[in-house]
Amino acid sequence: MRSLFLVLIALLGCSLSSGRILFDDELRELTEFLRLQMQCGYPAKGVPILAPAQLPYKEVDVQADAFSGRGNFTNISIVGLDSFEFSQLQWNNIFHTIKFDVSIPSIRLKAENYKFDLTRFLGATASKKCNGVFDVELINFRANGSFVLRPSSLTNGLHITRWNVDWQLGKAISQITGIGSKYLEKLINFILQDFLQLLINDNPEEISQFMEQLLVAPLNAVFGNVAWYEITAIILGLVNGVLPVEPIC
Ligand SMILES: *[C@@H]1O[C@H](CO)[C@@H](O)[C@H](O)[C@H]1NC(C)=O
Ligand SMILES: *[C@@H]1O[C@H](CO)[C@@H](O)[C@H](O)[C@H]1NC(C)=O
Ligand SMILES: *[C@@H]1O[C@H](CO)[C@@H](O)[C@H](O)[C@H]1NC(C)=O
């Protein structure tokens, strides 16, 4: 209790003293810790293992003008999420803003098996059953921008507001095999090159909104049980030895 009190006093002191901006060893340490922790996830807060991320089964149902169909993916793995590199990471302790610029050199999405019944392809009606191995690599995925961390109350909970993040994709490579894979590969190439890249690179606001929906809700769920002073203390590096050097599994 006493140490928490000291942390609070120290935080107050820091908040009043200056709007100092950090990319600091503390934040660097935090990202290195997160990188390690991605191998274990954080089951207590509902965070799955992310390095590599694995999913036994996922159904998909796509209904777009250009293509539609439904199917499923089995034994999905996502490799590379922990290869992130931050070129900027700053915390402003007056505005509680985190500014960042991060890139992931390679994210590989694989499924040992996909089944996909294509009913519409490049605008025309189609009827094709696709089935095989799914393997797509996203090269140089980058996100930069900022968000604000707000306490829900002093003792319990944090949430993210003012999400403003741009996303870019360098390129995508697909190596999909199997029955109908030409169709699926064309489809994926179409999605990736003519759609995903354009979408990501030319519609930063829409993508930011999409990513906000995708990321902010689960992050807020995780932050819901973390006290403001804990996270601030970690960010500011006020408490020595808070971050383990080995992942906690
Ligand atoms: C997976 O998708 C294929 C193609 O749509 C379908 O035939 C099959 O029943 C689906 N499998 C499951 C378990 O839903
Ligand atoms: C998925 O993984 C399980 C367990 O490793 C294995 O038994 C199964 O055959 C795999 N499924 C496919 C479609 O490869
Ligand atoms: C991301 O970086 C680009 C420059 O590479 C900049 O123009 C853009 O404003 C940044 N986006 C955000 C949300 O800060």
Side-chain angles (χ1 to χ4, degrees), residues 56 74-75 112-113:
T74 317
N75 293 357
E112 279 176 27
N113 183 259

mmCIF file of all heavy atoms in Angstrom, residues 56 74-75 112-113, ligand 2:
data_model
loop_
_atom_site.group_PDB
_atom_site.id
_atom_site.type_symbol
_atom_site.label_atom_id
_atom_site.label_comp_id
_atom_site.label_asym_id
_atom_site.label_seq_id
_atom_site.Cartn_x
_atom_site.Cartn_y
_atom_site.Cartn_z
ATOM 1 N N PRO A 56 -7.449 -23.062 -34.636
ATOM 2 C CA PRO A 56 -7.740 -24.358 -35.262
ATOM 3 C C PRO A 56 -8.717 -24.252 -36.434
ATOM 4 O O PRO A 56 -8.618 -25.038 -37.380
ATOM 5 C CB PRO A 56 -8.349 -25.186 -34.132
ATOM 6 C CG PRO A 56 -8.623 -24.263 -33.012
ATOM 7 C CD PRO A 56 -7.843 -23.012 -33.227
ATOM 8 N N THR A 74 -8.583 -24.271 -41.835
ATOM 9 C CA THR A 74 -8.241 -25.166 -40.720
ATOM 10 C C THR A 74 -6.761 -25.027 -40.372
ATOM 11 O O THR A 74 -5.931 -24.886 -41.269
ATOM 12 C CB THR A 74 -8.515 -26.639 -41.124
ATOM 13 O OG1 THR A 74 -9.764 -26.682 -41.802
ATOM 14 C CG2 THR A 74 -8.590 -27.537 -39.914
ATOM 15 N N ASN A 75 -6.448 -25.097 -39.105
ATOM 16 C CA ASN A 75 -5.067 -25.013 -38.605
ATOM 17 C C ASN A 75 -4.343 -23.785 -39.165
ATOM 18 O O ASN A 75 -3.361 -23.892 -39.885
ATOM 19 C CB ASN A 75 -4.279 -26.289 -38.925
ATOM 20 C CG ASN A 75 -4.803 -27.487 -38.154
ATOM 21 O OD1 ASN A 75 -5.710 -27.362 -37.349
ATOM 22 N ND2 ASN A 75 -4.226 -28.647 -38.411
ATOM 23 N N GLU A 112 -3.375 -24.911 -43.031
ATOM 24 C CA GLU A 112 -3.025 -26.228 -43.581
ATOM 25 C C GLU A 112 -4.058 -26.675 -44.600
ATOM 26 O O GLU A 112 -3.763 -27.422 -45.521
ATOM 27 C CB GLU A 112 -2.926 -27.263 -42.451
ATOM 28 C CG GLU A 112 -1.605 -27.198 -41.726
ATOM 29 C CD GLU A 112 -1.540 -28.158 -40.545
ATOM 30 O OE1 GLU A 112 -2.236 -29.184 -40.570
ATOM 31 O OE2 GLU A 112 -0.775 -27.869 -39.613
ATOM 32 N N ASN A 113 -5.278 -26.194 -44.402
ATOM 33 C CA ASN A 113 -6.316 -26.534 -45.372
ATOM 34 C C ASN A 113 -7.343 -25.414 -45.459
ATOM 35 O O ASN A 113 -7.702 -24.825 -44.438
ATOM 36 C CB ASN A 113 -7.000 -27.846 -44.972
ATOM 37 C CG ASN A 113 -8.036 -28.260 -45.995
ATOM 38 O OD1 ASN A 113 -9.223 -28.053 -45.788
ATOM 39 N ND2 ASN A 113 -7.590 -28.807 -47.109
HETATM 40 C C1 LIG B 2 -4.727 -29.841 -37.907
HETATM 41 O O1 LIG B 2 -3.897 -30.127 -36.818
HETATM 42 C C2 LIG B 2 -4.264 -31.316 -36.125
HETATM 43 C C3 LIG B 2 -3.406 -31.424 -34.882
HETATM 44 O O2 LIG B 2 -2.072 -31.035 -35.146
HETATM 45 C C4 LIG B 2 -4.120 -32.511 -37.069
HETATM 46 O O3 LIG B 2 -4.527 -33.690 -36.416
HETATM 47 C C5 LIG B 2 -4.995 -32.287 -38.307
HETATM 48 O O4 LIG B 2 -4.807 -33.310 -39.242
HETATM 49 C C6 LIG B 2 -4.688 -30.937 -38.957
HETATM 50 N N1 LIG B 2 -5.649 -30.656 -40.019
HETATM 51 C C7 LIG B 2 -5.300 -30.387 -41.283
HETATM 52 C C8 LIG B 2 -6.417 -30.106 -42.228
HETATM 53 O O5 LIG B 2 -4.147 -30.368 -41.651
#
